Amino acid sequence: MLSGLMNLLRACWGPSSDRCGPRGSDAVGKQDGLLWYKDIGQHLSGEFSMAVVQANNLLEDQSQIESGPLSSSESGPYGTFIGIYDGHGGPETSRFINDHLFSHLKRFASEQQMMSVDVIRKAFQATEDGFVSLVTKQWPMKPQIAAVGSCCLVSVICNGTLYIANLGDSRAVLGRLVKATGEVLAIQLSTEHNACIESIRQELHAMHPDDSQIVVLKHNVWRVKGLIQVSRSIGDVYLKKAEFNREPLYSKFRLREPIKRPILSSEPSILIQPLQPHDQFLIFASDGLWEHLSNQEAVDIVQNHPHSGSARRLVKAALLEAAKKREMRYSDLKKIDRGVRRHFHDDITVIVVFLDSNLISKASSNRGVVPSLSIRGGGVSLPSNSLAPCTTPTEHSAS
């Protein structure tokens, strides 16, 4: 399957990649229908590639890459920050994270004058607290915002150390070279919080021993309280605080019994490890990609092609699989507009970060060599005040 997929990808992404998309400057990315992409860019420790394809009427995935100062202090730390925020129920939470989490991280890094697990944990908590405050303010006019949330996958590369923090079911995968064989193996770095994973169901039962309905198999999918697949998120305040699980929230989101303790958590799982010279690249993606590609398939696609266009190739590979599953041609899938497109695949965001061991070792002294970078994943242009439609939201699916 993978060899055929790679042949299709080569047909579109040969040396002259502009032939498949609009020409013009790639400084802030390009738009091709529902696909936004930045094929190649430079961060402090190597190159990166970024792509987003929209399926929802309003893009619920948000993403960013920031490289340079990781605090407001000139003395550092310096490094690269990657964030992928897969929203559900609407775009409000993922947009909020995109606007606030990195600034919180810089503030706490300034206070501690270093990057650490504690800095990242505090940045997550400050973002959650900020969104809860927003829900509290908007509840009288817009109560359905209490049922909007987002997964949150963050990585920081700083002083040769890799940090991965995750809430929900987005995923970070490392491509690591095995010198003896020349293979590049896929290593999943992020811990996922989805009720389809047995250990997560066990965790929920342990935390809520008095609730036999804490996880429910509904339409052949495990869901927390029969409502949502992820067990950790930013937002989803209706499953964290009793005062937001009542009228005028839609009845489908209201629980029969009052909430005694938070059902969902905003505590991220955090991994920290030193980067090794044989670590080649990192793939960060929302679950829309992983629904269609395995970890190793994604790593093989990146490894077997030039750096430029890597994220776009992964998105294309996922869309080819989505079309194949529905027994339709990729060209026909591309013609389907946002909103209706969600019946065929989710919003998909991919960031591929290449790791140059020489640059990583010099990153703290090279901070002036590579200009500071700040870029956000794009989507179909809409007014900045466009939020979720006021129609009844559907069940929270993949997230």
Side-chain angles (χ1 to χ4, degrees):
M1 186 275 285
L2 191 58
S3 61
L5 191 59
M6 284 184 170
N7 288 336
L8 280 167
L9 290 169
R10 285 191 188 99
C12 189
W13 277 280
S16 214
S17 64
D18 270 340
R19 67 190 173 197
C20 284
R23 295 182 178 272
S25 170
D26 192 35
V28 293
K30 299 178 184 177
Q31 193 82 38
D32 179 10
L34 295 179
L35 174 69
W36 174 93
Y37 60 93
K38 180 171 175 60
D39 277 344
I40 199 74
Q42 187 77 31
H43 69 102
L44 208 56
S45 304
E47 294 176 321
F48 74 92
S49 180
M50 199 169 177
V52 180
V53 67
Q54 181 169 349
N56 286 290
N57 186 42
L58 293 176
L59 182 68
E60 294 184 348
D61 275 16
Q62 300 291 316
S63 54
Q64 66 187 128
I65 181 164
E66 312 279 344
S67 197
L70 297 177
S71 79
S72 52
S73 167
E74 287 186 14
S75 60
Y78 287 78
T80 298
F81 172 97
I82 301 102
I84 290 183
Y85 320 120
D86 179 1
H88 44 260
E92 292 92 331
T93 315
S94 56
R95 290 178 180 180
F96 185 89
I97 300 169
N98 218 13
D99 288 340
H100 294 89
L101 195 150
F102 182 60
S103 60
H104 286 310
L105 180 127
K106 289 179 75 172
R107 175 164 60 90
F108 291 119
S110 296
E111 289 175 5
Q112 297 192 13
Q113 297 185 324
M114 62 182 292
M115 186 52 58
S116 68
V117 168
D118 186 54
V119 164
I120 295 169
R121 205 179 299 281
K122 284 181 173 177
F124 270 68
Q125 189 57 53
T127 306
E128 167 79 353
D129 291 346
F131 191 72
V132 171
S133 295
L134 180 69
V135 172
T136 303
K137 281 183 196 170
Q138 294 197 2
W139 172 261
M141 305 82 70
K142 190 183 177 187
Q144 308 317 320
I145 195 172
V148 179
S150 182
C151 301
C152 185
L153 172 63
V154 159
S155 177
V156 178
I157 301 167
C158 183
N159 294 328
T161 300
L162 174 67
Y163 301 83
I164 303 282
N166 194 44
L167 293 170
D169 55 10
S170 296
R171 187 180 301 173
V173 173
L174 170 69
R176 175 174 283 171
L177 176 67
V178 180
K179 288 195 174 179
T181 63
E183 294 175 281
V184 175
L185 291 183
I187 301 170
Q188 184 169 327
L189 300 178
S190 52
T191 300
E192 290 172 27
H193 312 111
N194 188 304
C196 72
I197 302 168
E198 186 177 354
S199 60
I200 297 299
R201 296 197 298 275
Q202 291 172 351
E203 177 182 84
L204 287 162
H205 281 297
M207 291 171 63
H208 304 272
D210 52 345
D211 188 352
S212 62
Q213 299 295 301
I214 187 66
V215 282
V216 177
L217 190 63
K218 193 172 181 182
H219 306 308
N220 213 32
V221 177
W222 287 103
R223 296 178 185 276
V224 182
K225 300 301 290 181
L227 291 169
I228 186 169
Q229 284 183 253
V230 294
S231 62
R232 303 192 195 189
S233 68
I234 300 289
D236 296 308
V237 183
Y238 76 116
L239 289 176
K240 294 174 179 174
K241 293 181 177 290
E243 60 264 37
F244 299 113
N245 198 285
R246 58 181 176 84
E247 291 185 340
L249 188 69
Y250 293 133
S251 60
K252 65 180 292 179
F253 293 128
R254 298 202 302 267
L255 305 178
R256 292 177 183 176
E257 301 294 327
I259 295 175
K260 297 176 184 175
R261 67 179 75 89
I263 292 166
L264 301 188
S265 167
S266 60
E267 179 75 16
S269 294
I270 302 180
L271 171 141
I272 175 173
Q273 67 181 42
L275 286 168
Q276 306 293 337
H278 48 282
D279 294 341
Q280 303 294 293
F281 53 82
L282 296 153
I283 303 172
F284 304 94
S286 54
D287 71 320
L289 181 80
W290 309 112
E291 286 174 11
H292 302 292
L293 296 180
S294 70
N295 294 350
Q296 191 62 52
E297 285 170 343
V299 163
D300 289 345
I301 289 169
V302 173
Q303 174 61 20
N304 292 323
H305 293 85
H307 289 189
S308 181
S310 292
R312 190 157 53 115
R313 280 185 207 100
L314 288 172
V315 168
K316 175 82 180 288
L319 295 183
L320 283 165
E321 282 300 299
K324 184 179 173 184
K325 287 172 185 175
R326 299 299 288 268
E327 299 182 341
M328 65 190 301
R329 293 178 301 184
Y330 171 71
S331 57
D332 291 331
L333 177 65
K334 278 189 72 176
K335 295 173 187 172
I336 300 171
D337 201 2
R338 58 193 171 90
V340 179
R341 183 81 83 90
R342 183 61 183 89
H343 297 289
F344 298 85
H345 65 84
D346 199 355
D347 293 337
I348 302 174
T349 297
V350 180
I351 301 176
V352 181
V353 173
F354 295 95
L355 303 168
D356 184 324
S357 56
N358 291 324
L359 288 177
I360 289 168
S361 64
K362 299 173 185 173
S364 58
S365 58
N366 268 4
R367 56 182 181 256
V369 176
V370 178
S372 293
L373 167 80
S374 179
I375 188 166
R376 295 188 179 192
V380 174
S381 296
L382 289 164
S384 59
N385 62 352
S386 292
L387 292 177
C390 294
T391 53
T392 304
T394 55
E395 272 181 351
H396 296 172
S397 54
S399 296

